[in-house]
Amino acid sequence: MSTVRGMEPTANVPDARRDDPAVELPVNGARGPLLELVTRSGCHLCEDARAVVTEVAAELGLSWSEVSIDNDAELTAQYGEEVPVVLVDGIQRDFWQIDPVRLRTILSKAVAEN
């Protein structure tokens, strides 16, 4: 299950992209980095990671989504021992204790490249 957090897509984005949950669009309609936090229920580190991702994404004006591995065997096999996991554009960038400085640096670079 995925939950989108942060800014809402703009109304002038084509319907096919606006309705695609994998496409994260900031208010200006430009594509930013795809930021995902992989979590599971009952995970105290996930709560801490959620706070870090929320803060850093807000500073940079980015939206993000949370993906739970609960009830998903494939995600559990891939990330079960490492949650929480931060993915930026589908690449694992951090896990367990999310470093806000590292996340901010990675996202700032990704924003500059987009």
Side-chain angles (χ1 to χ4, degrees):
M1 175 179 233
S2 177
T3 305
V4 176
R5 313 230 181 216
M7 298 179 172
E8 295 299 320
T10 59
N12 62 354
V13 176
D15 288 342
R17 292 192 64 209
R18 186 178 36 207
D19 295 337
D20 183 353
V23 176
E24 299 291 325
L25 298 168
V27 168
N28 67 5
R31 181 177 167 92
L34 176 61
L35 176 57
E36 298 171 292
L37 177 62
V38 181
T39 64
R40 69 172 168 229
S41 60
C43 168
H44 71 282
L45 291 176
C46 295
E47 295 171 16
D48 296 341
R50 191 176 295 115
V52 170
V53 171
T54 298
E55 178 182 332
V56 173
E59 287 175 11
L60 298 173
L62 299 172
S63 61
W64 61 280
S65 63
E66 183 171 337
V67 180
S68 174
I69 66 169
D70 294 335
N71 304 315
D72 187 318
E74 185 177 330
L75 289 177
T76 299
Q78 188 170 2
Y79 300 115
E81 299 298 318
E82 297 178 336
V83 292
V85 175
V86 170
L87 304 174
V88 177
D89 291 331
I91 300 170
Q92 184 172 334
R93 295 298 187 171
D94 212 348
F95 64 100
W96 292 336
Q97 294 183 336
I98 308 306
D99 182 324
V101 174
R102 180 174 32 232
L103 181 59
R104 191 174 293 108
T105 300
I106 290 166
L107 290 174
S108 294
K109 182 177 177 184
V111 166
E113 292 173 354
N114 282 315

